Amino acid sequence: SDWKERLITILITPMISCSARLPVYSLLIVFIIPANLQYFGFINARGVAFLGIYIFSTLAALFAAFVLNKLIRNKGKSQLMLELPNYRMPIAKNVAFNVWEKVKSFIKEAGKVIFIISIVLWFMTSHGPSERRENALEAYRKEMKSNPPTEQSHVNESSILLENSYAGILGQYLEPVIKPLGFDWKIGIALITSFAAREVFVGTLATIYSAQDDGDNPEKLSQMLNSQINPNTGEKVFNVATSASLIMFYMFALQCLSTVAVVKKETNGWKWPTIQLISYTILAYLISLLTYQLLA
């Protein structure tokens, strides 16, 4: 009931890792920690990394609450009364029902968003200004005639078409801003679309990189991303530094349209959701930048 405590809760809640971030963390941890790495012979290192992410985000939220408690002034005192329920052993039927409800809710709510965005992305990656794409292809073919491609070449006609598609053009406008974080224009597109829902990030990468693939050798997404090479540097796109930077960005960035809508509803205006969105984005950018610069 206390305004100050309610506002602090609203402001720090997005720092707590939610289920929507799990697909992002699951995908990116693969590029940081080897699959066979274990502690004491039986504790999986990737599981420890997951736990570390949750602990770190929780501590960050508590620290943010401590700072906000000092900054936001309120003369009133509040009390909390909480009635604890009776704890019993879980019933298998109830657990199964709850799991089914969560899965069904995800498919109905997030699934619709992912499906629609995937269709839009498919169109944006498959189409573009005709003249620009034709000129780019013609220039590429002339270059290939004078300088035949080698085995180390990571550019083909599919990547040229993708680069000059509507999605590619949009991503290239964004790339100068996110390049210091270790992100290329393809990751930039995924950052934009994931504002609808964080888990859309994975589907977006799958759509973009599938559009670049010739389709002769279908792979799992993690394998496909692991084979992506930056044509400018010759290094892997999803290396340790970039993957860690992405994890830190998603840990703090307010990449969630529904959260913004709920905060607007709870605070009866756009003031606090705007402050929250801007401050979280700046915080995520700075922490991601620091992470990449330290690990690169």
Side-chain angles (χ1 to χ4, degrees):
S1 59
D2 183 74
W3 174 84
K4 175 182 177 180
E5 293 179 354
R6 188 168 66 251
L7 180 60
I8 291 175
T9 304
I10 289 172
L11 293 178
I12 70 164
T13 295
M15 285 190 179
I16 305 295
S17 289
C18 60
S19 59
R21 291 180 171 103
L22 292 182
V24 180
Y25 295 158
S26 300
L27 177 67
L28 297 174
I29 282 178
V30 171
F31 308 115
I32 301 176
I33 300 175
N36 56 355
L37 181 60
Q38 294 184 337
Y39 299 117
F40 307 109
F42 66 95
I43 300 177
N44 186 276
R46 290 178 178 174
V48 174
F50 253 108
L51 178 61
I53 289 172
Y54 271 83
I55 292 175
F56 183 79
S57 62
T58 302
L59 292 176
L62 291 174
F63 178 74
F66 174 79
V67 173
L68 289 172
N69 187 50
K70 300 295 183 182
L71 295 177
I72 301 176
R73 300 295 180 181
N74 188 12
K75 297 180 180 179
K77 293 184 178 180
S78 66
Q79 296 178 342
L80 174 65
M81 295 181 65
L82 183 65
E83 182 179 359
L84 297 176
N86 295 323
Y87 292 99
R88 300 183 179 90
M89 287 293 293
I91 302 173
K93 181 180 178 181
N94 292 344
V95 172
F97 177 77
N98 286 331
V99 170
W100 167 245
E101 287 296 315
K102 295 292 184 182
V103 172
K104 185 171 69 172
S105 175
F106 176 85
I107 294 174
K108 290 176 64 177
E109 301 301 327
K112 288 187 291 187
V113 175
I114 294 172
F115 178 71
I116 293 172
I117 289 180
S118 295
I119 293 176
V120 173
L121 273 176
W122 168 82
F123 177 83
M124 292 182 66
T125 55
S126 302
H127 298 79
S130 300
E131 185 176 351
R132 174 172 177 155
R133 285 158 70 92
E134 289 173 3
N135 292 338
L137 271 180
E138 185 178 351
Y140 169 76
R141 287 165 181 165
K142 287 181 179 179
E143 177 68 20
M144 290 303 99
K145 286 181 179 179
S146 57
N147 297 304
T150 63
E151 293 183 0
Q152 287 76 31
S153 177
H154 306 289
V155 180
N156 53 32
E157 290 194 7
S158 297
S159 61
I160 294 295
L161 288 173
L162 176 61
E163 189 174 348
N164 291 278
S165 64
Y166 293 121
I169 295 170
L170 175 63
Q172 289 167 49
Y173 278 115
L174 182 64
E175 189 173 44
V177 179
I178 60 176
K179 191 174 182 179
L181 309 182
F183 308 159
D184 63 3
W185 59 270
K186 298 170 190 174
I187 296 176
I189 298 172
L191 292 178
I192 294 174
T193 57
S194 63
F195 186 69
R198 290 182 180 96
E199 57 268 42
V200 174
F201 175 82
V202 178
T204 300
L205 288 182
T207 303
I208 290 174
Y209 284 103
S210 294
Q212 184 179 351
D213 190 17
D214 290 329
D216 297 329
N217 185 26
E219 299 175 303
K220 290 172 59 178
L221 179 59
S222 58
Q223 295 173 337
M224 186 193 306
L225 297 183
N226 191 45
S227 63
Q228 299 302 315
I229 303 296
N230 188 324
N232 298 322
T233 63
E235 299 178 353
K236 288 187 176 183
V237 174
F238 289 88
N239 51 36
V240 172
T242 300
S243 301
S245 177
L246 268 170
I247 288 177
M248 298 306 292
F249 186 87
Y250 272 95
M251 193 181 297
F252 292 100
L254 192 60
Q255 294 289 101
C256 188
L257 187 63
S258 59
T259 300
V260 175
V262 170
V263 173
K264 190 262 181 185
K265 176 176 177 291
E266 291 294 325
T267 57
N268 297 317
W270 284 105
K271 174 186 174 182
W272 287 110
T274 303
I275 292 174
Q276 189 179 36
L277 178 61
I278 294 173
S279 59
Y280 269 65
T281 302
I282 294 174
L283 177 64
Y285 188 94
L286 293 176
I287 293 178
S288 181
L289 175 63
L290 178 62
T291 301
Y292 181 75
Q293 296 303 323
L294 288 175
L295 296 178

